[in-house]
């Protein structure tokens, strides 16, 4: 790697860098050779970093005003909304920020699925990413409990009861998670403690995620290995920083749109009713980003079976790099896989839709079909398509498709020489 | 090193093994309090009993009280309801239990049970569902007049807590 030869120009810089090579790290990050054909689907890593920092900053501020106690939590959230200066803004950024975070992470994950970014040699990046995703779900779930509204309480009850499906020790585990004989004040206080902890665990995993990324370098839309640095790469700064910033600005417009014009559209009105252990709301649904898994849970008529399939739907992704047998990374050159990719997206959207609907009639049928297809995709379709599919010719370098697409070869050639 | 030297247990091997063992025990001794602190504390356990006055409940009516953070249904059943609950064949039950086993003998009209669906812990609605008992709105479990699961994803009948009649008008739960 080039940063090893990096020597700071100033004497003081050299003195410092010899003792703690932070300047070498900064040099590595700015010069980091990036494929020159990265499209806007690659900007979501930066967007996700922004989301994490937004959640941490607004979360720290909210914790200054929030009271984690079953009798006071609900009122303290209303206090934030009504009395605290700009409290409404900070809370709406935090609550909608969670949704934006998941929106970005789903695009990021499906980008990886389309362009085969999870494949060798990037398996560890993929697995670290999934661990981040799992922690995100845990953080989001616990955060949703903190306002102590009806959905908070009953969502917490339903999700913690999932563990009671475990044979023999299930009930002891559930009681241990609660710290009581039902979801109660001890549950709230521990959820608050863990909700504060998890973002920093995520931050640590993000560092590892990026570190692992910087070993092989970025995948790219044509999915081929490239020499670094070469005419196929551009330095991260300013090329990628400016592209990421532009994408982030567009993303922030959507984010601000929710915060200022529809701050409650992604939530449930039931959560503006204080938690009541005597009454269950008529229709309990999780937040939108967990709906596909909820649909899988409900599609199985057996309690333990439903829980196993729901967790299985996530854990199957951990072995994805070894289930996909195709040597070609990018779906651009995989005509059959490409179609199954879009069917999978449709399948997940259908599961998300039926997850929000009552578990009966046609919705239950759709949920079952969707669940079967989800597992079929990963366990059967991916391995088989990898063997049978006739892939299209893969270019030898990124420059090749760019040049052959150009009408005037001489211009392209001149351009090429400049680089 | 010759062979005989290799086989003998040295002082250093002994020190390694004992150090690891003591270290593992010590680590366990430190971790256990950190885990066990999350179990219900003394204040939670202190709420273990609740006394309920049942003198005001008319036949066919029920009340709900909170016990250890969970709702408990106390239903005073009519004779018809008791007969209907007892006319069910055990073969039709996913979790076979006789109605007689779910009430105190001589106090057959009183059904005292945790108002918690055995699926994922929601509170079922009374006088709803296909079996005139309870219906859980969360994932559609139907319970009969004895609180037994009849249809839906719940695996078990609603739980009967430990309770006793202190006198004719008072039930002590827990």
């Amino acid at each position: 790697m080039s940063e090893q030869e990096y020597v700071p120009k100033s004497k003081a810089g050299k003195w410092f860098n010899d003792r703690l090579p932070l300047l070498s790290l900064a040099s590595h990050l700015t010069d980091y050779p990036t494929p020159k054909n990265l499209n806007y689907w690659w900007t979501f890593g930066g967007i996700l970093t922004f989301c994490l920092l937004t959640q941490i900053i607004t979360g720290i501020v909210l914790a200054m005003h929030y009271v984690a106690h079953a009798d006071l939590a609900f009122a303290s959230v209303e206090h934030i909304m009504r009395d605290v200066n700009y409290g409404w803004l900070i809370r709406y950024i935090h609550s909608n920020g969670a949704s934006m975070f998941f929106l970005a992470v789903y695009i990021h994950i499906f980008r990886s699925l389309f362009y085969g970014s999870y494949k060798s040699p990037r398996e560890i990046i993929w697995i670290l990413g999934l661990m981040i995703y799992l922690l995100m779900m845990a953080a989001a779930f616990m955060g949703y409990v903190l306002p102590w509204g009806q959905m908070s309480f009953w969502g917490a009850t339903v999700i913690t009861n999932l563990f009671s499906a475990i044979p023999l020790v299930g009930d002891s585990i559930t009681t241990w998670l609660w710290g009581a004989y039902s979801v109660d004040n001890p549950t709230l206080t521990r959820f608050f403690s863990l909700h504060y902890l998890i973002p920093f665990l995520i931050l640590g995993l993000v560092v590892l995620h990026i570190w692992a990324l910087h070993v092989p370098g970025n995948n790219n839309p044509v999915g081929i290995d490239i020499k670094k640095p070469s005419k196929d790469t551009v330095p991260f700064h300013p090329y990628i920083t400016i592209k990421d910033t532009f994408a982030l600005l567009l993303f922030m417009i959507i984010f601000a749109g929710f915060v200022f014009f529809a701050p409650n559209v992604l939530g449930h009105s039931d959560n503006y009713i204080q938690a009541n252990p005597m009454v269950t709301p008529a229709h309990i649904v999780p937040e939108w980003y967990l709906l596909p898994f909820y649909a899988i849970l409900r599609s199985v008529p057996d309690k333990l079976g439903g829980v196993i399939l729901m967790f299985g739907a996530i854990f199957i992704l951990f072995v994805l790099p070894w289930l996909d047998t195709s040597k070609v990374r990018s779906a651009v050159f995989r005509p059959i896989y490409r179609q199954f990719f879009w069917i999978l997206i449709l399948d997940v959207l259908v599961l998300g839709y039926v997850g929000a609907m009552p578990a009966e009639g046609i919705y239950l049928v759709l949920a079952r079909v969707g669940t079967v297809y989800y597992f079929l995709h990963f366990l059967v379709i991916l391995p088989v398509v990898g063997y049978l599919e006739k892939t299209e010719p893969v270019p030898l370098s990124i420059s090749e498709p760019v040049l052959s697409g150009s009408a005037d070869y001489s211009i392209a050639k001149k351009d090429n020489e400049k680089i | 090193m010759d062979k005989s030297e290799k086989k003998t247990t040295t002082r250093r091997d002994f020190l390694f093994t004992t150090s690891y063992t003591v270290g593992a025990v010590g680590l366990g001794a430190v971790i256990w309090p950190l885990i066990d602190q999350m179990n219900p504390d003394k204040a939670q356990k202190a709420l273990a009993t609740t006394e309920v006055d049942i003198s005001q409940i008319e036949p066919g009516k029920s009340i709900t009280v909170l016990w250890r953070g969970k709702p408990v249904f106390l239903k005073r059943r009519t004779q018809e309801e008791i007969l209907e609950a007892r006319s069910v064949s055990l073969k039709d039950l996913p979790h076979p239990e006789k109605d007689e086993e779910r009430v105190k003998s001589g106090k057959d009209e009183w059904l005292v049970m945790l108002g918690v669906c055995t699926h994922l812990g929601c509170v079922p609605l009374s006088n709803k569902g296909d079996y005139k008992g309870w219906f859980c709105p969360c994932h559609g479990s139907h319970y009969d007049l004895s609180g037994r699961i009849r249809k839906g994803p719940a695996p078990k009948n609603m739980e009967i807590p430990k309770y006793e009649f202190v006198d004719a008008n008072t039930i002590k739960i827990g």
Side-chain angles (χ1 to χ4, degrees):
Chain A
M1 272 190 266
S2 57
E3 81 271 13
Q4 267 147 8
E5 292 102 59
Y6 173 79
V7 180
K9 286 193 182 73
S10 73
K11 215 175 167 188
K14 194 176 175 309
W15 179 89
F16 182 81
N17 203 51
D18 286 343
R19 282 148 185 84
L20 180 68
L22 273 185
L23 295 170
S24 289
L25 179 67
S27 154
H28 162 77
L29 292 176
T30 47
D31 296 345
Y32 171 64
T34 321
K36 65 180 180 183
N37 61 340
L38 293 190
N39 56 34
Y40 276 102
W41 300 114
W42 258 266
T43 59
F44 283 87
I47 287 170
L48 284 162
T49 312
F50 164 80
C51 287
L52 178 61
L53 294 179
T54 304
Q55 292 307 86
I56 288 178
I57 292 166
T58 52
I60 288 170
V61 173
L62 286 172
M64 294 178 185
H65 306 280
Y66 170 79
V67 184
H69 188 281
D71 296 339
L72 304 170
F74 188 82
S76 78
V77 172
E78 283 311 305
H79 162 72
I80 290 169
M81 293 302 288
R82 292 152 197 255
D83 304 338
V84 175
N85 301 329
Y86 294 102
W88 60 272
L89 177 65
I90 294 155
R91 175 168 174 259
Y92 277 153
I93 291 175
H94 196 73
S95 59
N96 285 284
S99 283
M100 292 297 115
F101 206 157
F102 276 95
L103 175 70
V105 91
Y106 282 127
I107 295 173
H108 195 60
I109 290 171
F110 277 106
R111 190 269 290 150
S112 178
L113 289 179
F114 188 84
Y115 293 110
S117 301
Y118 52 86
K119 291 193 206 189
S120 173
R122 296 183 181 82
E123 300 96 322
I124 299 294
I125 311 173
W126 171 253
I127 288 168
L128 286 166
L130 288 174
M131 289 164 70
I132 294 170
Y133 175 52
L134 278 177
L135 283 179
M136 276 174 66
M137 289 198 282
F141 160 66
M142 291 186 195
Y144 196 57
V145 176
L146 301 184
W148 212 240
Q150 273 290 66
M151 276 296 174
S152 301
F153 184 89
W154 290 102
T157 299
V158 167
I159 300 298
T160 48
N161 262 302
L162 293 178
F163 293 92
S164 72
I166 301 167
L168 301 176
V169 293
D171 286 329
S172 316
I173 289 179
T174 315
T175 306
W176 176 72
L177 287 172
W178 288 335
Y181 300 99
S182 63
V183 173
D184 211 332
N185 190 53
T187 325
L188 176 62
T189 49
R190 69 192 51 186
F191 277 16
F192 180 55
S193 169
L194 296 174
H195 182 71
Y196 209 119
L197 164 73
I198 290 175
F200 297 98
L201 297 180
I202 293 178
L203 194 63
L205 283 175
V206 167
V207 170
L208 294 183
H209 191 64
I210 295 172
W211 186 2
L213 168 71
H214 280 234
V215 175
N218 286 72
N219 184 30
N220 63 78
V222 293
I224 55 168
D225 290 324
I226 50 170
K227 263 193 257 154
K228 299 169 299 253
S230 71
K231 62 185 169 60
D232 278 349
T233 66
V234 290
F236 189 82
H237 183 73
Y239 293 91
I240 303 299
T241 42
I242 198 67
K243 187 164 184 154
D244 275 0
T245 307
F246 179 64
L248 178 60
L249 284 173
L250 296 180
F251 184 80
M252 283 162 81
I253 291 172
I254 298 169
F255 193 155
F258 276 107
V259 169
F260 290 105
F261 296 102
N264 288 307
V265 78
L266 297 169
H268 299 285
S269 48
D270 274 313
N271 223 27
Y272 284 102
I273 304 168
Q274 191 166 1
N276 179 358
M278 304 282 263
V279 182
T280 306
H283 190 48
I284 298 184
V285 271
E287 292 284 82
W288 69 267
Y289 37 81
L290 302 175
L291 286 173
F293 300 110
Y294 195 56
I296 291 175
L297 169 76
R298 296 194 304 179
S299 71
V300 188
D302 177 71
K303 182 174 167 183
L304 181 60
V307 173
I308 289 174
L309 272 202
M310 186 185 73
F311 284 109
I314 300 166
F315 285 106
I316 201 170
L317 297 172
F318 280 87
V319 288
L320 174 64
W322 296 275
L323 290 173
D324 186 346
T325 51
S326 178
K327 295 271 183 292
V328 176
R329 286 196 195 101
S330 176
V332 171
F333 307 106
R334 300 186 60 191
I336 310 293
Y337 170 72
R338 203 157 60 215
Q339 292 169 35
F340 283 114
F341 170 83
W342 290 111
I343 297 174
L344 179 71
I345 292 221
L346 185 71
D347 184 56
V348 171
L349 290 176
V350 167
L351 281 174
Y353 172 70
V354 297
M357 294 293 137
E360 54 197 30
I362 180 71
Y363 300 121
L364 196 54
V365 177
L366 277 174
R368 286 180 181 161
V369 173
T371 301
V372 169
Y373 184 81
Y374 182 89
F375 285 96
L376 206 65
H377 176 91
F378 290 106
L379 291 175
V380 179
I381 294 171
L382 267 187
V384 172
V385 166
Y387 278 118
L388 301 181
E389 184 179 41
K390 191 179 181 318
T391 54
E392 287 159 11
V394 175
L396 292 171
S397 78
I398 291 173
S399 305
E400 189 193 339
V402 176
L403 293 179
S404 58
S406 164
D408 189 344
Y409 188 70
S410 61
I411 292 174
K413 202 175 168 192
K414 227 161 81 189
D415 220 35
N416 203 6
E417 277 158 6
K418 254 198 306 210
I419 297 165
Chain B
M1 232 190 280
D2 63 274
K3 267 184 188 168
S4 60
E5 253 180 336
K6 257 187 195 169
K7 274 182 187 167
T8 53
T9 309
T10 62
R11 244 163 74 93
R12 180 163 292 187
D13 291 337
F14 174 76
L15 284 173
F16 272 147
T17 311
T18 47
S19 305
Y20 284 138
T21 311
V22 171
V25 171
L27 198 66
V30 170
I31 285 174
W32 176 247
L34 291 175
I35 293 173
D36 192 44
Q37 56 83 21
M38 280 177 69
N39 274 317
D41 55 33
K42 290 189 182 72
Q44 289 292 329
K45 286 177 179 161
L47 304 170
T49 59
T50 304
E51 289 200 8
V52 190
D53 176 15
I54 52 168
S55 59
Q56 304 301 314
I57 308 171
E58 302 283 329
K61 300 287 177 201
S62 70
I63 60 163
T64 309
V65 298
L66 213 55
W67 172 64
R68 298 209 300 195
K70 282 177 176 163
V72 175
F73 296 152
L74 296 101
K75 185 176 169 80
R76 186 173 181 184
R77 301 181 296 177
T78 61
Q79 283 308 314
E80 299 88 75
E81 286 173 330
I82 297 170
L83 284 176
E84 187 168 342
R86 294 188 175 179
S87 66
V88 182
S89 159
L90 284 184
K91 275 181 281 178
D92 297 339
L93 298 171
H95 176 196
E97 260 185 322
K98 280 189 186 162
D99 182 61
E100 287 85 339
E101 298 164 11
R102 294 176 58 79
V103 294
K104 302 262 189 241
S105 62
K107 300 277 187 185
D108 301 36
E109 58 177 0
W110 290 101
L111 179 64
V112 179
M113 64 180 181
L114 286 186
V116 175
C117 180
T118 57
H119 182 226
L120 294 173
C122 298
V123 179
L125 305 165
S126 60
N127 299 317
K128 291 253 167 67
D130 297 354
Y131 299 89
K132 298 182 197 162
W134 287 266
F135 171 71
C136 182
C138 294
H139 306 94
S141 293
H142 299 256
Y143 295 88
D144 67 12
L145 285 161
S146 189
R148 293 172 297 197
I149 179 66
R150 301 298 292 272
K151 203 170 97 180
K156 282 187 266 175
N157 302 334
M158 278 193 264
E159 195 184 328
I160 307 290
K162 189 171 159 260
Y163 71 95
E164 61 187 64
F165 285 84
V166 179
D167 55 54
N169 289 329
T170 314
I171 290 178
K172 189 173 99 180
I173 307 166

